[in-house]
Amino acid sequence: MIYKCRACGETIQPFMSFGHQPPAASFYIPGNQVPEHFFELQPAFCPTCQLFQIVEQPPEAVMFHEAYPYFTGTSRAMIAHFEGLFQSLRSQWLDGTADPFVVEIGSNDGTLLSNFMNAGIRHLGIEPSASVATAARARGCRVHEGFFGMETADKVRAEHGAADIIVGANVIAHIPAINQIGAGVASLLKPTGVFVFEVVYLGDVIRNVAFDQIYDEHIFTYSAGAVRTVFGRHGLDLIDVVHLPAIHGGSMRYTLAPRGMRPVSTAVEACIAAEATQGLSETTTYERFRANCETIRSDMRRLLDELKAKGARIAGYGATGKSATLLNYCAVTVDDLEFIQDSTPIKQGKLTPGTHIPIRSPAYFKDNMPDYALLLAWNHRAEIEEKEAEFRARGGKWILYVPCVGVV
Ligand code: SAH
Ligand code: TMP
Ligand code: ZN
């Protein structure tokens, strides 16, 4: 099979396969007769753009729709983080701007956008998934229901004018037509405007062997080098990078501006130099990553089998998007995990995609505490350990797998 880089069109080759995987958010309704969609999850690295990407994925409408189940507001830490992002965007970029206009791509349930709304700032969310768009509207946010691309950018500009800030968190990795984002942002932004996005960082994924960050929705895993190249082609300068080690297991905040309009922070060059030192453009880095993934898979299987042989009860914690890759790649089933607790109401009562493990509420977890809990939502570890002090007090242990399999 010949695959083309989604940014530059050059031929690329996957360096490994995580096997057949379902869309990570397609939680299965028990008794459903409709066969699940599967695709082969294969990451590749484009040497021309330095863009890390998966070569196959389900259609966008299969991933983002009226039943999209991820609500940002399920994490207290993320609510606080986005309030911080709002504060810094306002003080850094909106001070002294008359009647500013802010566009958020992938505004989800309005967790970030509502901060702009409450401050009386003109705002618009672009959000294709009705489940979350409705939740944002219910709290008073202004939302355009649809996919961001050139067409939407033109429409928004015609109706509302150009934007002072275009912001997107954990969404610029999700849009396959990457050049549509670049062109759309470049056309919707004021010459004095900025484009700020946050996303899981390739450097952290490789360093921590956090392979479960790779799933259908995460088509791209960005590095600063890739961001500079890919968006540079659309006349956008990468002017700043801020590493966010505690966000989603390691993210980067990228700030871009129309070419030549803003000084470039020294942090950009430093970050790109660190990426070279880490070997993010080298084939051997990805060969090592593949070997590390295989080690985690065999260690995970061995640990689960040993614990089961001892008669231990094991459950999962957090039916995250990431968990689909981990569970399907390591062939984890109901024979391994009795259930997975998740605080999102629309996930409860359903089964995990592909592996069909039942998802239960926090109350169920409390009443049926296992001996071991596989922490699938490891990116929210601090918040969860604090919340689940009782599990620990009753002798419960956490199973971790990033950066390696272990029990704590
Ligand atoms: N920004 C939130 C939500 C991230 S989940 C946060 O950081 O927590 C990704 C969101 O992007 C989903 O709500 C999904 O529906 C939305 N999305 C997917 N493709 C999109 C596109 N082309 N344009 C705008 N939003 C998109
Ligand atoms: P995420 O890793 O994509 O942010 O998803 C986190 C999932 O974990 C989401 O489905 C909600 C769930 N969750 C809990 O069940 N309890 C918690 O305390 C937190 C923070 C998340
Ligand atoms: Zn490329």
Side-chain angles (χ1 to χ4, degrees):
M1 197 62 184
I2 305 249
Y3 296 105
K4 304 273 186 206
C5 167
R6 293 173 195 268
C8 72
E10 293 285 333
T11 299
I12 50 172
Q13 273 307 320
F15 59 84
M16 70 178 292
S17 172
F18 290 102
H20 288 93
Q21 294 275 346
S26 290
F27 294 96
Y28 195 76
I29 297 163
N32 193 347
Q33 298 304 310
V34 181
E36 289 179 280
H37 182 111
F38 280 92
F39 70 103
E40 192 173 359
L41 182 62
Q42 304 171 86
F45 182 79
C46 173
T48 310
C49 323
Q50 309 191 8
L51 188 57
F52 185 104
Q53 54 201 287
I54 57 173
V55 295
E56 283 179 23
Q57 55 147 153
E60 277 172 291
V62 169
M63 300 190 285
F64 308 114
H65 43 68
E66 69 294 339
Y68 185 69
Y70 180 71
F71 287 69
T72 308
T74 48
S75 162
R76 284 199 301 265
M78 291 311 295
I79 295 172
H81 170 70
F82 285 129
E83 192 186 335
L85 173 60
F86 156 73
Q87 302 281 8
S88 80
L89 289 175
R90 180 168 66 170
S91 62
Q92 213 177 344
W93 307 114
L94 297 183
D95 247 12
T97 309
D99 187 28
F101 177 46
V102 175
V103 173
E104 185 186 355
I105 304 175
S107 48
N108 198 266
D109 61 1
T111 296
L112 171 61
L113 205 56
S114 58
N115 290 285
F116 291 96
M117 176 189 77
N118 292 333
I121 294 170
R122 210 149 56 84
H123 63 274
L124 182 69
I126 315 285
E127 175 51 67
S129 299
S131 50
V132 288
T134 305
R137 279 206 202 95
R139 63 207 284 183
C141 295
R142 198 159 181 175
V143 181
H144 166 88
E145 209 169 295
F147 289 92
F148 184 81
M150 262 319 275
E151 207 181 307
T152 315
D154 288 345
K155 200 163 165 246
V156 172
R157 198 189 159 101
E159 257 176 56
H160 303 267
D164 295 278
I165 297 178
I166 300 176
V167 59
N170 308 301
V171 63
I172 304 304
H174 295 52
I175 307 177
I178 188 168
N179 290 316
Q180 286 253 339
I181 314 174
V185 164
S187 107
L188 180 56
L189 212 52
K190 280 186 190 165
T192 50
V194 288
F195 172 40
V196 179
F197 70 97
E198 290 185 4
V199 70
V200 164
Y201 181 52
L202 180 65
D204 291 314
V205 170
I206 300 298
R207 186 178 306 106
N208 300 326
V209 202
F211 65 82
D212 58 347
Q213 297 279 18
I214 304 166
Y215 57 94
D216 60 335
E217 293 176 34
H218 290 182
I219 299 159
F220 304 107
T221 308
Y222 289 97
S223 61
V227 168
R228 188 167 68 172
T229 307
V230 169
F231 292 99
R233 295 192 189 116
H234 296 280
L236 296 167
D237 288 341
L238 176 60
I239 61 162
D240 201 10
V241 293
V242 176
H243 189 213
L244 307 164
I247 302 302
H248 285 308
S251 300
M252 194 71 85
R253 180 181 298 163
Y254 301 101
T255 303
L256 298 98
R259 179 145 311 137
M261 294 298 291
R262 305 264 179 194
V264 177
S265 156
T266 52
V268 173
E269 216 37 74
C271 183
I272 289 174
E275 291 175 351
T277 309
Q278 196 187 344
L280 287 188
S281 309
E282 285 159 32
T283 315
T284 49
T285 299
Y286 299 99
E287 283 165 3
R288 216 166 30 242
F289 178 76
R290 182 186 59 206
N292 290 339
C293 292
E294 286 163 2
T295 302
I296 290 177
R297 174 168 60 177
S298 53
D299 288 352
M300 175 61 77
R301 280 281 12 132
R302 190 175 325 113
L303 177 65
L304 294 174
D305 292 338
E306 278 170 15
L307 294 177
K308 277 191 301 176
K310 284 198 303 191
R313 287 183 49 229
I314 319 169
Y317 200 101
T320 58
K322 292 182 286 300
S323 70
T325 299
L326 187 277
L327 299 174
N328 285 281
Y329 177 59
C330 300
V332 177
T333 67
V334 273
D335 290 338
D336 304 299
L337 302 183
E338 249 175 61
F339 65 93
I340 298 179
Q341 97 77 49
D342 197 285
S343 60
T344 316
I346 65 170
K347 293 184 186 179
Q348 295 159 9
K350 297 193 179 141
L351 308 175
T352 53
T355 48
H356 295 193
I357 300 167
I359 301 168
R360 301 283 179 244
S361 66
Y364 185 93
F365 181 80
K366 212 170 157 48
D367 294 340
N368 297 274
M369 277 195 185
D371 303 306
Y372 292 86
L374 172 60
L375 187 55
L376 298 160
W378 56 270
N379 48 315
H380 301 292
R381 182 175 169 186
E383 181 175 349
I384 290 170
E385 282 198 4
E386 192 191 322
K387 193 186 279 182
E388 298 297 350
E390 190 189 338
F391 170 61
R392 174 67 90 196
R394 287 207 210 166
K397 292 199 167 59
W398 294 105
I399 301 174
L400 304 177
Y401 56 93
V402 177
C404 55
V405 175
V407 173
V408 293

